[in-house]
Amino acid sequence: MASSASSVAFVAVIIAAVVTMLCAQTAEAFITYSPRACDYRHETCIRQYDDDGCSNNNSCHPNRRNFAAACLSGIITVPLITSIKSACALTPNQASQNYDTYADTYDKLDGGSIATSLGIDEARTKLLGMARGDVLEIGVGTGLNLASYRFGEGGVTSLTLVDISDGMLSQAEARIQQMNIDKNIPIQFVKADATSELISIFGENKFDSVVDTFSLCVMGNEGAKKCIEEMAGVVKPSGKILLVENTRSSNPILGSYQDLTASSAADLGGKGCVYNQNVGEMINKSKGMRLEKEESFAAGLFRSFVCTKS
């Protein structure tokens, strides 16, 4: 019995450590926007922020240490977590103001050794190497993906970068200026909400490739579904939609842990990220997008998706 109890405790510790690493690695997901989960209950969200001590002027900026603590609390306070309300995602105005503030130091929070150890860097490089022609990237943030693109003949021939934050777009532009990219390749920066404005701004069937990495979780489930349909609308019939996203783990124990901690993780430091989404199911049920290939990393804690217009 003692040996069995020790084994269970050991497994619990390992699960906590893995999920905490995932929580710390929020990537560009948190540089994005949209009404997300709040698009149908905005007033409730504002009240929750007020109750948590965060004013409506976005003075509350949770950090990754709090996020990690929220994840670890799932092992210790499971009975309490089950009573927590669904995560309240950021509104476009909140995201824009918050990430303008984060922009100068954002790279210190993402990428690095954690991303490498989880296989995120590898997934980025592999998927973004598939981008061709006129490319749209949503939630570009500070431009962490830019080094993974292959520019020029047979690769990216024009690049449109979207984010809700002017500060993030400025950081991405500064990164572009430091890269040795052919001056003949058009690059534009657009401030927009990807859950509602892509089709209205760019029109239908515009891009050969549409890219997103770790943005859907911040949009909440309803916002993510809307964004998927917006991406499907702007991609050409012959084009590809390339995604790397946080997802619910394929490991039953780890997946259950994510379900228990998703709300507290999002509220206490995840910047609204619902990190147990079933993105594959969202794609399959969406209007206009067909899933061609799905690849799992880190026990399914995140996945890459290659999609086409249906």
Side-chain angles (χ1 to χ4, degrees):
M1 292 295 292
S3 176
S4 176
S6 297
S7 298
V8 171
F10 176 74
V11 170
V13 170
I14 293 299
I15 292 174
V18 171
V19 177
T20 300
M21 284 195 298
L22 176 67
C23 294
Q25 175 50 43
T26 54
E28 282 84 3
F30 304 132
I31 56 180
T32 43
Y33 34 85
S34 90
R36 308 184 173 98
C38 293
D39 52 9
Y40 59 95
R41 55 188 181 93
H42 175 73
E43 292 182 0
T44 301
C45 291
I46 295 300
R47 285 197 296 273
Q48 180 174 339
Y49 272 85
D50 289 342
D51 291 342
D52 289 343
C54 301
S55 67
N56 292 345
N57 64 3
N58 303 308
S59 60
C60 180
H61 305 297
N63 58 39
R64 278 166 175 64
R65 292 183 182 179
N66 291 334
F67 194 13
C71 292
L72 287 173
S73 71
I75 296 294
I76 302 170
T77 59
V78 168
L80 295 179
I81 290 175
T82 58
S83 66
I84 293 178
K85 297 179 181 179
S86 297
C88 177
L90 299 175
T91 66
N93 184 57
Q94 288 169 333
S96 178
Q97 293 184 31
N98 286 358
Y99 288 104
D100 281 348
T101 302
Y102 303 147
D104 288 344
T105 58
Y106 193 79
D107 281 355
K108 296 179 181 178
L109 301 179
D110 289 301
S113 60
I114 294 178
T116 300
S117 64
L118 289 174
I120 292 175
D121 289 342
E122 178 185 355
R124 286 182 200 273
T125 301
K126 182 177 181 179
L127 196 72
L128 271 60
M130 299 172 60
R132 300 286 188 275
D134 298 321
V135 176
L136 168 69
E137 180 179 342
I138 68 168
V140 63
T142 61
L144 288 175
N145 284 337
L146 294 173
S148 297
Y149 289 117
R150 185 164 59 87
F151 292 94
E153 185 177 355
V156 178
T157 55
S158 77
L159 183 60
T160 301
L161 304 172
V162 168
D163 202 282
I164 196 64
S165 164
D166 287 321
M168 289 294 188
L169 289 171
S170 294
Q171 293 293 318
E173 186 171 5
R175 189 185 295 266
I176 285 282
Q177 292 173 355
Q178 296 173 2
M179 299 175 65
N180 185 25
I181 300 174
D182 188 337
K183 301 298 183 182
N184 293 319
I185 295 177
I187 300 175
Q188 64 173 326
F189 303 83
V190 179
K191 183 177 181 179
D193 176 357
T195 68
S196 62
E197 297 180 337
L198 299 183
I199 296 174
S200 63
I201 292 175
F202 303 113
E204 295 186 346
N205 306 321
K206 173 70 174 180
F207 298 98
D208 298 295
S209 304
V210 179
V211 173
D212 174 54
T213 61
F214 302 105
S215 295
L216 295 182
C217 75
V218 187
M219 300 176 185
N221 290 331
E222 294 305 312
K225 294 173 185 176
K226 292 177 182 178
C227 181
I228 287 171
E229 293 185 0
E230 288 283 323
M231 290 190 287
V234 298
V235 74
K236 295 178 180 178
S238 59
K240 300 284 187 183
I241 301 167
L242 308 172
L243 312 174
V244 182
E245 306 291 348
N246 290 304
T247 56
R248 189 181 188 278
S249 175
S250 51
N251 180 293
I253 297 176
L254 190 52
S256 296
Y257 177 81
Q258 287 178 276
D259 293 340
L260 289 172
T261 59
S263 294
S264 56
D267 292 340
L268 297 179
K271 298 183 177 70
C273 176
V274 183
Y275 76 142
N276 65 335
Q277 289 179 327
N278 189 335
V279 177
E281 182 178 90
M282 289 183 184
I283 294 171
N284 288 327
K285 291 184 177 180
S286 69
K287 297 177 182 179
M289 189 183 296
R290 179 174 60 249
L291 178 59
E292 284 196 345
K293 182 179 179 181
E294 176 179 342
E295 188 170 357
S296 175
F297 300 85
L301 290 173
F302 65 95
R303 291 178 169 86
S304 65
F305 303 90
V306 178
C307 310
T308 57
K309 199 183 194 80
S310 61

